[in-house]
Each structure stands twice: as C-alpha cells, then as structure tokens.
Amino acid sequence: MFFVDTIEVSGLGNRSYIAGGERTAVAVDPPRDVDQVIAAAARRGVRISHVVETHVHNDYVTGGLELARLTGAAYLVPAGARVFFARVPVHDGDRTEIDTATGLTLRALATPGHTPHHTSYVLEENGTAVAVFTGGSLLIGTVGRPDLVEPRLTEHLARAQHASAHRLAAELPDDTAVLPTHGFGSFCSSSQAEGSDTTIGKEKASNEALIRDVDDFVADLLAGLDDIPAYYTHMGPANAAGPAPVDLTPPSVADAEEIAARLAAGEWVVDLRNRVAFAAGHLSGSFNFEAEGQLATYLAWLIPWGKPLTLLAESPEQLAAAQRELVRVGIDRPAAAATGDPGCWVRQGEASASFPRATFADLAGRHPAEGLVALDVRRASERAGGYIEGSVHIPVHLLHRSLDEVPAGEVWVHCAGGMRAAIAASLLEAAGREVVAVDDSFDAAEKAGLTVRNS
C-alpha cells in the first residue's frame, strides 16, 4: 500500500505532498519550514529518500535543498531549470524508484507552461498511475499562470499550458488523482476554482484548458491575469541560488523605547492582532497585518524589500506562527519583536491610537457627502465586477506609494471583506489621515442602498 499526505500551506494558497510506501517516501514542492515535512514522514515511519521540485517557484522560497541536506535525500529538479547548486537533473520520461516493497515509482512528464521547464510527476504503483503531482500545470478547474517568468514568453507559455494539460489528460487514466501545488488561493493560479480534490476524469469534464480550443482558452487566460505580488521578483532568484536554512528562534525583545526609535527611523512596525483589536487601540504609526489573514502574501507584497521589521503580537505563539509564515516568502529575521498589548508598546505618558470601524450601511448613510472619500482598495479585477459610484480606487498593494493620491477628507476605506481595508486604514492613519475602516462584505454594499456600477 502507498500513501499520499498533504501538507497545507494555507497562508500562501499552496500544498506540498509526501508520498511513499512501507519504508521510504518522496517530498514534493516542500515549503521552506521543512520541520513539518520531516514530522509527517516520522508519523508514517518512513525515510524521505527523494525530494522533487516541479519547477523553480516564483511565489515562495522552497525548502527542497535544505530538506535534501537534512535527510540525505536525492534532490530532483527539472533539467531545464537554471540553478546554482548540485541536484539530480530530471528529464521527460525519467523514472525514479521511491519504495521497492510497494512497487512505487515516479515518472517525469514535461509540462511546460507555468515555467518553460515545468515538470509533473506521475506516481505509479506497480506500473499503474495512481496520482500525478502537477505543481503549477493542471490545477483544479484551471492552470497555473504563464506570466511570471518573462513578459515576452507569456503567450507562448499560455499555449504550452493548454498543450501540457492535454498531454496529462491523454496519457493518464481518468481515475488518476490530480495533486497540484497551486490553486487554493495562490496568486500563481490563473484563476480561482472551487473544490479541494480532483481527478483527470473530472478535469476532462470541467477544466477550461481541456474543454476549450487553444485560441479561445489563451485569449481568456491572458485577459484574466491578475496583479503579480511585488515580492515574487525575489523568489525565483532565491530558489535558483539555493535558499539558506531557516532560523525560527524568537527575535530580540524590544521595549517601548526601542519600538519608538525604530518607528522614528522609518522602519516598519507591524501589529499582528486581529483588525477589531487593532482599530480599538494600537501603537501610533504601526501597521495592521492580521496573523490570521494572508499575512505572508500581503506583508511581503507591501513592505519595501529588505526594510527592517518589528512584529507586535498578542502572544509568543502568534509571533512564532507569523515568523514561520514569513520565512516562506524570504522575510527571514524580524529586527525585533514584542508581545502583549498596546499598553506594553506605548511609551509612558503617551496614548494609544484608534479609529472607527463601520459597515456598508453606515457608509450608505453618509455617502456621497462633502469631505468624505470612499476608497476602494480591491484589485482592478475585483472592481471590474462592481464598484461604489463615486469611490476612489487605489489597490492596497499600491497604496503605500500612492498616499498623496487620496483626496482630502475623511477616508472610508473598504475592500471585499475587511482585512485589506484594515491594512489600508492603518497605512493611512500612520500618514496622518482621518480614517474609517469598513469591515463588511462587499456583497452588502448594494443591499445597504449604495449605488454599485459595473465597469
């Protein structure tokens, strides 16, 4: 009998896998914090004999090199990937024995599209395909985006994605489990689809790449591509160079005086508490990125790369979880940290700051009005589906560089659900603006009486 265990990396919308038999196993596209992969193997009582990458990742720092070093596993990387460390280069059709006792092997299938060198791996039990690790190729209902490598290659790679999806569908049985790395909220997915598991047969019936002709598929795929997180530009080079081991030991503890000095020096001080607690009271000048939200994605997207970072958390556990998320995107060591609440972080004699929260019904009671700015911080693709008449649009990932473009007045800031509005409100308040954070679902806007237009 073989097994496949899924390791969720939910903050980034990704999955990693460990698959094996009685004694040995393979890890596929492991996250940078490899201790959880090692723990998964220990629970199964197997040794990790192989680590494989489907591609050089653009959205996170891989743990593959470190996992191979720690376990003594062979490190398999597509031969076409330009990397600068020792590895086993994998070519189309290569077979790798994973567990002899169960007749478990991996067969490499070249599936370019997400990257030129992208490779999927078919898990075979005694010669029969039982699962395929598709990385950023065939996802649930869609494919990985083709625009993360080089703009001039985007259309070529989009066509390659279509061809690769058809190759997988043609060569594998319908009951083969499809196990992608991306597609669970990841910005590496060309679109978001419903569901958490699928097979080749299900994808033949529903995946856009498999039910549409190549020209229509490519045209819609290219038209629907979303913004690329800014930190992605650093991930590919880090993975190609060979990432360093992670250090998850607690950062140095900062007192109120040190935190104030770091703020005065222009460093980022990030409050990890939930947005309700932050709005009610926080250190003036700090930014709110909820630990329970997409912390790694949005903090890495917004922070100037390499800027010293101080984390404020309500508990050591929250701080440790945030560190773990951030190393996955290359934010390795916070400059300092503190735990507790604003009473611990504000210097003696100084008051904490706060701002009001509201609903779309509250906004409907005020908008439009002289001196009120309705600021939409969703992405352009979201706004195209409907926006509040008279609202100003600046996506949250551009706001910190566009603060002077926000009109004068009290800023009521909204997104699709409240998390990004809280980030934006904290950025604006730190810049001296009067803000109200709309903590509500955008679905409620029209029902509340606001006029919603479509682009």
Side-chain angles (χ1 to χ4, degrees), residues 20 56 67 76-78 87 92 112 193 204 240 259 261 281 303 313 316 319 341 348 352 363 365 393 400 448:
V56 174
L67 182 60
L76 279 59
V77 178
R87 89 290 192 199
D92 185 44
K204 282 182 178 180
I259 296 169
I303 191 171
L319 174 61
D341 57 48
Q348 190 170 5
S352 61
L363 179 58
H393 181 228
H400 61 302

Side-chain angles (χ1 to χ4, degrees), residues 120-303:
S120 298
Y121 297 89
V122 182
L123 185 67
E124 297 179 340
E125 184 183 36
N126 296 317
T128 299
V130 292
V132 57
F133 300 104
T134 55
S137 183
L138 188 67
L139 310 185
I140 299 178
T142 184
V143 295
R145 60 193 297 172
D147 60 330
L148 302 180
V149 177
E150 157 62 56
R152 290 172 295 183
L153 293 177
T154 297
E155 182 173 350
H156 167 76
L157 290 176
R159 291 181 178 277
Q161 279 289 53
H162 188 271
S164 291
H166 280 264
R167 181 186 185 189
L168 289 165
E171 294 191 17
L172 298 175
D174 283 357
D175 60 354
T176 306
V178 175
L179 304 173
T181 299
H182 305 311
F184 310 96
S186 168
F187 279 88
C188 271
S189 176
S190 61
S191 64
Q192 299 305 322
E194 298 296 323
S196 59
D197 60 84
T198 191
T199 63
I200 289 292
K202 290 179 181 177
E203 292 308 302
K204 282 182 178 180
S206 61
N207 194 296
E208 292 292 305
L210 296 173
I211 61 176
R212 306 188 64 191
D213 71 73
V214 62
D215 291 331
D216 288 343
F217 168 77
V218 168
D220 283 353
L221 176 62
L222 298 183
L225 291 173
D226 214 333
D227 298 313
I228 300 173
Y231 73 90
Y232 275 27
T233 191
H234 304 284
M235 300 297 97
N239 287 324
V246 300
D247 179 1
L248 291 174
T249 58
S252 62
V253 177
D255 60 16
E257 290 294 335
E258 181 181 344
I259 296 169
R262 290 186 176 280
L263 275 173
E267 298 181 10
W268 274 40
V269 175
V270 167
D271 190 327
L272 299 167
R273 295 174 303 145
N274 71 68
R275 58 186 182 264
V276 177
F278 182 88
H282 54 267
L283 176 66
S284 181
S286 63
F287 304 141
N288 182 214
F289 289 80
E290 291 182 306
E292 293 78 17
Q294 290 178 282
L295 169 66
T297 294
Y298 282 99
L299 180 51
W301 198 338
L302 270 67
I303 191 171

Side-chain angles (χ1 to χ4, degrees), residues 55-149:
H55 59 294
V56 174
H57 303 283
N58 289 291
D59 65 324
Y60 69 93
V61 181
T62 181
L65 185 63
E66 176 67 358
L67 182 60
R69 184 186 71 81
L70 290 172
T71 62
Y75 190 26
L76 279 59
V77 178
R82 191 161 181 252
V83 296
F84 302 95
F85 49 80
R87 89 290 192 199
V88 178
V90 178
H91 300 84
D92 185 44
D94 283 356
R95 290 180 182 272
T96 302
E97 188 175 276
I98 301 301
D99 188 82
T100 305
T102 52
L104 208 61
T105 61
L106 276 185
R107 176 164 59 93
L109 280 182
T111 48
H114 188 48
T115 66
H117 60 264
H118 191 284
T119 299
S120 298
Y121 297 89
V122 182
L123 185 67
E124 297 179 340
E125 184 183 36
N126 296 317
T128 299
V130 292
V132 57
F133 300 104
T134 55
S137 183
L138 188 67
L139 310 185
I140 299 178
T142 184
V143 295
R145 60 193 297 172
D147 60 330
L148 302 180
V149 177

Side-chain angles (χ1 to χ4, degrees), residues 307-446:
K307 175 79 74 173
L309 171 67
T310 296
L311 297 176
L312 306 179
E314 62 187 7
S315 68
E317 293 76 20
Q318 187 180 64
L319 174 61
Q323 278 186 261
R324 181 176 289 273
E325 287 223 23
L326 293 176
V327 298
R328 294 170 180 164
V329 292
I331 301 178
D332 283 12
R333 293 294 298 165
T339 58
D341 57 48
C344 309
W345 308 328
V346 176
R347 290 183 294 188
Q348 190 170 5
E350 294 183 354
S352 61
S354 64
F355 54 74
R357 296 164 53 248
T359 65
F360 281 110
D362 297 324
L363 179 58
R366 294 279 311 278
H367 177 73
E370 184 87 23
L372 185 149
V373 180
L375 177 63
D376 181 351
V377 296
R378 297 173 301 159
R379 299 186 301 278
S381 59
E382 296 172 281
R383 186 173 171 88
Y387 62 92
I388 296 170
E389 185 176 54
S391 62
V392 175
H393 181 228
I394 304 176
V396 69
H397 60 273
L398 301 177
L399 182 61
H400 61 302
R401 298 195 300 270
S402 310
L403 292 169
D404 57 353
E405 297 178 19
V406 181
E410 183 183 63
V411 185
W412 287 56
V413 58
H414 82 83
C415 60
M419 181 195 74
R420 287 172 291 172
I423 296 172
S426 69
L427 294 171
L428 287 160
E429 190 209 35
R433 299 299 300 271
E434 187 177 0
V435 297
V436 177
V438 178
D439 193 355
D440 201 358
S441 169
F442 187 74
D443 293 340
E446 192 166 24

